[in-house]
Amino acid sequence: MITFRLASVPMPHRVAEMVLAAMPEPVCQAVMETEDALREIGRLRPLASADDRVDFEAELGRLAAANKTLAAHHPNLIVAPWERAA
């Protein structure tokens, strides 16, 4: 059987709003915190300087804390640090 890889299609903004509206408030807050942390992790270079390393580790901690909330709601919502924010 031949299988084709499907290209990923971005979720429309309205659909994302409907999904978030169905989630509890702490989970929605954790989703926003993971997006912010991912954006900062992508921006920082941990080996550039000691200050960047401290900021990088702080963002990793923020991501881990948000992941705990997401995992408590549903294990498939966990976000890895190497994933990119949309």
Side-chain angles (χ1 to χ4, degrees):
M1 182 168 128
I2 298 174
T3 60
F4 297 101
R5 292 182 58 112
L6 298 175
S8 63
V9 178
M11 182 185 299
H13 186 66
R14 181 69 184 134
V15 173
E17 287 177 354
M18 289 174 22
V19 169
L20 286 176
M23 290 184 178
E25 184 62 32
V27 176
C28 294
Q29 184 66 30
V31 167
M32 290 186 281
E33 287 176 14
T34 57
E35 290 175 357
D36 292 342
L38 285 176
R39 192 174 306 107
E40 289 299 314
I41 287 170
R43 183 184 66 81
L44 295 170
R45 296 181 311 183
L47 301 178
S49 69
D51 291 337
D52 279 352
R53 184 174 302 125
V54 169
D55 292 342
F56 184 79
E57 290 176 3
E59 291 302 324
L60 283 177
R62 213 171 109 193
L63 179 63
N67 270 338
K68 282 185 178 181
T69 304
L70 294 175
H73 184 70
H74 195 284
N76 288 342
L77 293 177
I78 295 174
V79 179
W82 52 85
E83 293 180 16
R84 289 289 184 198

